[in-house]
Amino acid sequence: MASLPGIANNPDIQYLGQKLGDVIRAYGGDRLFERIEYIRRSSVDRHRGLEGAEATDPGLERLSLDETLDFVRGFMLFSMLANLAEDRQGIAVDPDADVESALERLAADGIDRKTVCALLEHALIAPVLTAHPTEVRRKSMIDHRNRIAELMGLRDRGIEETADGDHVDEAILRQIALLWQTRVLRRDRLHVADEVETALSYMRDVFVPALPALYARWDRAIGERVPSFLKPGSWIGGDRDGNPFVTADSMRLALSRAAEVALGHYLDGVHALGAELSISTGHSDVGDAVVALANGSGDNAASRADEPYRRALSGIYARLCATHKLLTGKRAPRPAPIDAEAYAGPNQLRDDLIALARGLSAGGGGALASGGALGRLIRSVETFGFHLATLDMRQNSAVHERVVGELLKVAGVEADYAALDEEARIALLRHELASPRPLTSPYADYSDETKGEIAIMHAAAEAHVRFGRAAITQYVVSMAQSVSDLLEVHLMLKEAGLYVPGEPAKAHIMAVPLFETVSDLEAAPDIMRAWFALPEIAAISKSRRFQEVMIGYSDSNKDGGYLTSTWQLSRGSTALLPVFAEAGVGMQLFHGRGGAVGRGGGSAYAAIQAQPPGTVQGRIRITEQGEVIAAKYGTVASAKTNLEAMASATLLASLEPQRLSQSDYDRFSAAMDALSNAAFRAYRGLVYETDGFRQFFRQMTPIAEISTLKIGSRPASRKKSDAIEDLRAIPWVFSWAQARVMLPGWYGVGQAIAGFEDKGLLREMAAGWPLFQSTLANMEMVLAKSDIGIAARYAELVEDETLRDRVFGQIRDGWHQTHDCLLAVTGQERLLEASPGLETSIRLRLPYIEPLNLLQIELLKRHRSGEDDPRIAEGIQLSINAIATALRNSG
């Protein structure tokens, strides 16, 4: 093996690490500090390969249980601070991932700004926040971390005091001390309301200020005002798939609280403008529209008689207060002194604000019309409306089948809907959809499930009336496997007036199929072709101009392995293109990505550009889950970086000419078919066809202990079963990461590459095909974070020695084969040789992960042997948290 380069010291990590050490010494005492420091130095020396370090006693066995808990917290906090330091250095940031650079690349290919603007007229880019339980850190800890980031920013600028007069270095020390004394673990499982509030904190504190600032930058780069094409979305409060706690009431709460955040921002903005726009008629000509707003405002204060903008803003503020009361049921925090009529919708508010902007632009050569606070407020209204973020609904198709079956049976239409074949179901559903007659009756008795689902539909209809149709536009159907799965949603929506029969019919919420497993992805083109063949659906889709399809990364990976999932998602997207073209409907793909590579994680910038030609079309939605939300959107600065990367990648994927010739694509695709088939056989052979694998997995990994973490509101398995098929993808990936195997991110690829004869072709693909490059790069990162030696220690937890040796032997051999094949294909001598920043990042944190793994293994042994000291269970949970923080991956 080639020798490793030295690890460059990050001054921020040194500074923050020293501060953490000072805190541990001050609050834990010299003995604790010295023991933690001894373990740290021993592990670092061993990883640096210093002579004799392998024989050094790491000192773990001498820790008492109380010291173990403190040690784990210390290492977790160091990793958290190291992550912060790296984020500040931009290690995870893709180079040139900004809109201005994308415009330059497009211009070099002869694509002018006019073409870009034409694309943006119908574009949509939407990061969609979900409550998937992969964020192990409490929000309190994330808040302290973000405050440290702000203080470090002051320190960068040479500012020694905060605005409150605190010394910056002392303020940083104080925040780290607060972190040290903050409880790491949640005592109670999160409720949906908690998840709603957490998401809203990101919307309010990050998205709301970040997006208007980005649009101002993009307007300057493009040379004209662009439409609001990037808007946030959310599943939190609308995603009921496998979560019985999401109800009509929780959806109402999510929508009402979101409106409260949006309207609160507008109220603050209008109030601030009232202080700023002190323009007097004695010094400026004021347009008729502003005068009309001022005269109709109800503000007759003599002190503002000559200040029409302030009077107009008084009226706007009063109308916003009335809107706040109407939509949220609460009075505005700062009520208006005058009564006014609520706005019927955000467009009315926007019109009033634009009237002010036009008035300001009329004189002085437009000096006051350069944007500023008023321009940002107008952009906010366009982007967030009164709903803040579009809320998706989601439910499993099996639930819809049961509900529709009961509705039809109780209405006397069909006694056994489940017994009908697909053709009969479609005919029956279409017949019912064509009739204005509702199926539900207030006098009938329904199951709790059916009552709950119908209540959700009526809550969605209420949302359209209160907050506008942009509040809910999509209904995602999990495990969509037929046309009837989509028609069932329309039938349920019809009960609340959200599907309206007629010529043409109208669907106010789009049914979106989610194709998750490998077989679902393969069947997707036929399902969508049959969907568009229905005349009423064709009319609805054409009037909307596009249809969304969601593709799932998590379950396809758990079903078929990393390489097969990646390739099937790409192939499935490509195969859908002609189907949509034949129907004359635009295609919008919704990518269900997770944080870990095994669930579609990795660079979004690279992933979007690696999408098959023609599949982006300026419209893309992507889920943002768990720890990814804090990592990407924890601060306004990081949010701007990541949102800009999404925007620039979408422009490039939509407009940049293809570099790959059709003949090369055909050759590469054929090779990927062969690789995928081989990887699929290897993966399925291990996970689903190896006797005892289920037992091996549950004993080797901390899957059972992960399920005790109170990090989400929904259960780890879809059913009360220990089958791999029923386990959710998040704990599946999470547990393999903890055991340092990372199996979902690489297994099967080595066998596939080793068995492929034309290695030169693979090297050619690695050099010239973005999809293969992205696939290998993500896998390389996973391999670098894994540690087969540590994994072997976890394997010792498997009680059956024969089973352990047999199954872990396959995993170990597969890892080495994948490692060696990757280097051979990429032409590197070591992992991440071509990515020095990422290599340094991972190598820096490995010495801090290994002791955590070793402690976790020992605690697992004691816990599983029956020791009931509560500190053991707490230590396991803390170690899970700490390892996930250090790896920057959980589920």
Side-chain angles (χ1 to χ4, degrees):
M1 175 186 278
S3 60
L4 297 173
I7 300 177
N9 288 321
N10 182 319
D12 284 353
I13 293 178
Q14 289 183 320
Y15 171 81
L16 292 170
Q18 182 182 20
K19 293 292 184 186
L20 175 61
D22 292 342
V23 165
I24 293 174
R25 189 190 294 274
Y27 288 92
D30 289 340
R31 172 178 166 161
L32 176 65
F33 172 79
E34 289 165 4
R35 289 203 167 188
I36 291 177
E37 181 62 14
Y38 178 76
I39 296 168
R40 187 193 71 81
R41 284 199 309 268
S42 298
S43 188
V44 169
D45 289 347
R46 188 161 55 256
H47 276 266
R48 286 179 173 174
L50 297 184
E51 187 174 350
E54 290 295 334
T56 302
D57 176 7
L60 293 172
E61 294 181 357
R62 292 195 296 276
L63 294 174
S64 68
L65 272 176
D66 287 332
E67 288 173 333
T68 294
L69 299 182
D70 286 337
F71 164 77
V72 174
R73 285 196 303 125
F75 266 42
M76 184 208 68
L77 291 180
F78 175 81
S79 296
M80 192 175 184
L81 295 171
N83 294 344
L84 183 156
E86 289 182 353
D87 290 343
R88 285 167 38 77
Q89 297 295 323
I91 288 173
V93 176
D94 296 284
D96 299 322
D98 59 89
V99 166
E100 192 163 359
S101 296
L103 293 172
E104 291 173 1
R105 278 176 59 175
L106 293 171
D109 288 313
I111 298 165
D112 58 19
R113 304 295 167 90
K114 183 178 179 181
T115 304
V116 173
C117 290
L119 176 78
L120 295 180
E121 284 296 327
H122 60 84
L124 173 68
I125 302 171
V128 181
L129 307 191
T130 81
H132 286 55
T134 62
E135 175 57 84
V136 294
R137 298 168 298 174
R138 292 178 62 211
K139 184 65 166 57
S140 298
M141 301 198 71
I142 295 171
D143 289 342
H144 288 310
R145 180 258 189 213
N146 290 343
R147 179 58 182 151
I148 294 170
E150 293 172 2
L151 292 167
M152 292 292 286
L154 296 179
R155 190 169 177 269
D156 289 343
R157 298 193 294 274
I159 299 173
E160 295 185 357
E161 283 189 0
T162 68
D164 298 323
D166 295 331
H167 193 278
V168 168
D169 284 343
E170 292 176 359
I172 291 171
L173 183 69
R174 188 177 303 116
Q175 289 297 318
I176 294 175
L178 287 169
L179 273 174
W180 177 253
Q181 296 183 95
T182 297
R183 174 169 41 84
V184 175
L185 301 172
R186 298 184 181 94
R187 288 181 174 167
D188 300 309
R189 184 169 289 278
L190 287 174
H191 299 289
V192 177
D194 301 319
E195 294 168 337
V196 167
E197 291 304 318
T198 297
L200 287 176
S201 70
Y202 287 104
M203 292 289 181
R204 179 187 60 245
D205 300 337
V206 178
F207 281 87
V208 167
L211 277 172
L214 279 174
Y215 278 118
R217 182 190 301 171
W218 296 338
D219 289 345
R220 291 191 296 270
I222 291 175
E224 61 180 83
R225 195 174 190 277
V226 300
S228 295
F229 62 90
L230 198 157
K231 301 180 179 183
S234 174
W235 273 13
I236 305 171
D239 175 17
R240 346 193 264 298
D241 182 16
N243 191 341
F245 305 110
V246 176
T247 64
D249 285 340
S250 62
M251 191 164 83
R252 290 188 183 98
L253 172 69
L255 291 162
S256 177
R257 287 290 293 117
E260 195 173 340
V261 168
L263 291 166
H265 174 66
Y266 304 152
L267 285 164
D268 288 344
V270 170
H271 181 74
L273 282 170
E276 179 180 339
L277 297 182
S278 55
I279 297 167
S280 168
T281 53
H283 301 292
S284 174
D285 292 329
V286 179
D288 293 342
V290 177
V291 171
L293 282 173
N295 291 340
S297 69
D299 183 355
N300 299 315
S303 60
R304 291 187 290 276
D306 67 334
E307 296 173 339
Y309 285 95
R310 281 180 165 168
R311 290 171 56 216
L313 286 163
S314 293
I316 292 171
Y317 189 89
R319 294 194 69 181
L320 275 172
C321 286
T323 307
H324 191 283
K325 182 69 168 65
L326 178 68
L327 297 187
T328 71
K330 302 176 184 178
R331 295 184 66 190
R334 189 190 301 110
I338 52 180
D339 292 328
E341 180 183 352
Y343 283 110
N347 285 340
Q348 284 190 351
L349 170 61
R350 177 180 177 273
D351 289 345
D352 284 354
L353 295 175
I354 285 177
L356 299 185
R358 286 174 176 164
L360 292 172
S361 67
L368 294 177
S370 59
L374 178 57
R376 289 191 295 274
L377 186 57
I378 292 170
R379 179 64 80 176
S380 291
V381 174
E382 293 174 349
T383 304
F384 304 112
F386 288 165
H387 62 284
L388 186 65
T390 298
L391 180 67
D392 286 3
M393 302 168 71
R394 183 170 80 129
Q395 183 56 285
N396 195 288
S397 62
V399 175
H400 301 146
E401 180 183 306
R402 292 194 297 270
V403 170
V404 167
E406 183 174 356
L407 292 177
L408 293 169
K409 181 178 181 179
V410 172
V413 176
E414 171 56 52
D416 194 356
Y417 173 76
L420 300 180
D421 62 22
E422 176 67 4
E423 185 176 348
R425 288 188 183 193
I426 291 174
L428 175 57
L429 293 169
R430 291 184 66 200
H431 179 268
E432 287 299 320
L433 285 169
S435 169
R437 169 183 54 82
L439 285 173
T440 51
S441 167
Y443 308 106
D445 188 28
Y446 300 101
S447 66
D448 288 342
E449 180 177 61
T450 294
K451 285 189 287 189
E453 292 301 308
I454 296 303
I456 284 274
M457 303 304 151
H458 285 288
E462 293 169 18
H464 276 204
V465 173
R466 292 179 67 190
F467 309 109
R469 288 183 181 171
I472 302 175
T473 58
Q474 272 97 342
Y475 190 125
V476 178
V477 184
S478 298
M479 300 304 291
Q481 298 173 334
S482 64
V483 168
S484 64
D485 287 340
L486 302 178
L487 289 174
E488 287 164 1
V489 171
H490 278 178
L491 191 65
M492 294 166 64
L493 291 170
K494 176 172 167 278
E495 293 303 304
L498 294 171
Y499 180 95
V500 183
E503 294 291 342
K506 297 177 182 177
H508 298 314
I509 293 178
M510 185 196 317
V512 176
L514 168 51
F515 300 116
E516 300 176 82
T517 66
V518 172
S519 58
D520 289 347
L521 290 165
E522 291 174 341
D526 289 339
I527 293 172
M528 295 311 298
R529 184 173 283 108
W531 178 244
F532 290 136
L534 303 179
E536 62 273 34
I537 299 303
I540 290 170
S541 301
K542 286 179 180 177
S543 67
R544 191 186 286 124
R545 297 181 60 188
F546 71 94
Q547 166 69 45
E548 180 169 286
V549 169
M550 185 173 185
I551 51 178
Y553 290 67
S554 302
D555 283 299
S556 60
N557 178 288
K558 187 163 70 73
D559 181 44
Y562 173 61
L563 189 66
T564 299
S565 170
T566 301
W567 181 230
Q568 287 295 336
L569 288 162
S570 180
R571 282 189 63 184
S573 302
T574 302
L576 285 169
L577 268 177
V579 176
F580 278 74
E582 292 163 11
V585 176
M587 183 169 74
Q588 176 173 298
L589 291 180
F590 185 9
H591 297 262
R593 288 162 49 96
V597 167
R599 297 183 52 244
S603 164
Y605 180 72
I608 293 172
Q609 289 190 84
Q611 293 304 303
T615 60
V616 178
Q617 302 175 7
R619 303 187 69 91
I620 190 168
R621 297 207 304 149
I622 299 175
T623 55
E624 303 285 24
Q625 306 177 9
E627 79 280 10
V628 172
I629 297 175
K632 294 175 68 172
Y633 308 114
T635 65
V636 172
S638 62
K640 286 181 180 179
T641 298
N642 285 286
L643 292 170
E644 178 125 40
M646 286 182 67
S648 60
T650 301
L651 290 178
L652 293 171
S654 301
L655 296 173
E656 198 169 31
Q658 289 305 307
R659 312 297 183 193
L660 203 64
S661 68
Q662 187 60 48
S663 61
D664 283 343
Y665 179 78
D666 291 342
R667 289 189 303 124
F668 295 171
S669 295
M672 277 294 278
D673 283 337
L675 290 171
S676 174
N677 291 336
F680 180 80
R681 288 192 299 270
Y683 176 85
R684 295 287 300 189
L686 173 70
V687 174
Y688 294 102
E689 298 166 12
T690 297
D691 290 339
F693 182 84
R694 184 190 311 176
Q695 175 187 345
F696 173 89
F697 163 66
R698 292 192 173 275
Q699 291 185 5
M700 176 184 172
T701 74
I703 177 64
E705 291 75 17
I706 286 171
S707 67
T708 67
L709 288 174
K710 297 173 176 62
I711 59 175
S713 64
R714 56 180 205 170
S717 282
R718 290 187 169 91
K719 302 176 183 177
K720 292 182 179 179
S721 157
D722 67 349
I724 304 297
E725 293 87 340
D726 295 330
L727 182 67
R728 289 191 178 279
I730 289 171
W732 167 254
V733 174
F734 201 155
S735 54
W736 286 117
Q738 287 285 308
R740 301 295 299 284
V741 183
M742 312 283 194
L743 183 139
W746 58 266
Y747 193 83
V749 182
Q751 295 93 318
I753 293 176
F756 193 85
E757 293 186 2
D758 192 349
K759 299 298 193 294
L761 175 58
L762 298 183
R763 286 190 287 272
E764 192 179 345
M765 291 162 60
W769 191 17
L771 174 66
F772 201 54
Q773 290 171 343
S774 175
T775 301
L776 293 182
N778 287 333
M779 186 178 75
E780 185 176 6
M781 182 266 289
V782 166
L783 289 172
K785 287 185 176 182
S786 62
D787 187 317
I788 212 67
I790 293 293
R793 303 286 290 271
Y794 278 90
E796 293 173 5
L797 295 169
V798 179
E799 296 169 2
D800 186 329
E801 186 175 346
T802 302
L803 175 65
R804 173 206 312 160
D805 293 344
R806 176 166 54 86
V807 178
F808 187 71
Q810 285 184 256
I811 294 173
R812 181 189 58 239
D813 294 346
W815 187 93
H816 286 294
Q817 191 173 44
T818 304
H819 171 275
D820 294 346
C821 286
L822 175 73
L823 295 183
V825 168
T826 59
Q828 299 177 109
E829 293 188 11
R830 65 177 187 277
L831 294 177
L832 301 176
E833 181 182 358
S835 305
L838 182 58
E839 179 187 34
T840 298
S841 168
I842 292 175
R843 288 184 57 215
L844 173 73
R845 63 191 63 243
L846 289 180
Y848 296 86
I849 307 174
E850 180 180 308
L852 294 170
N853 285 124
L854 297 176
L855 274 176
Q856 185 183 86
I857 292 166
E858 182 59 30
L859 292 170
L860 287 170
K861 287 178 182 177
R862 296 175 64 175
H863 178 66
R864 294 177 182 183
S865 70
E867 290 192 43
D868 59 1
D869 189 316
R871 291 173 297 179
I872 294 175
E874 182 182 357
I876 292 171
Q877 292 190 336
L878 279 173
S879 69
I880 291 171
N881 193 303
I883 292 168
T885 301
L887 288 172
R888 308 204 76 167
N889 290 110
S890 47

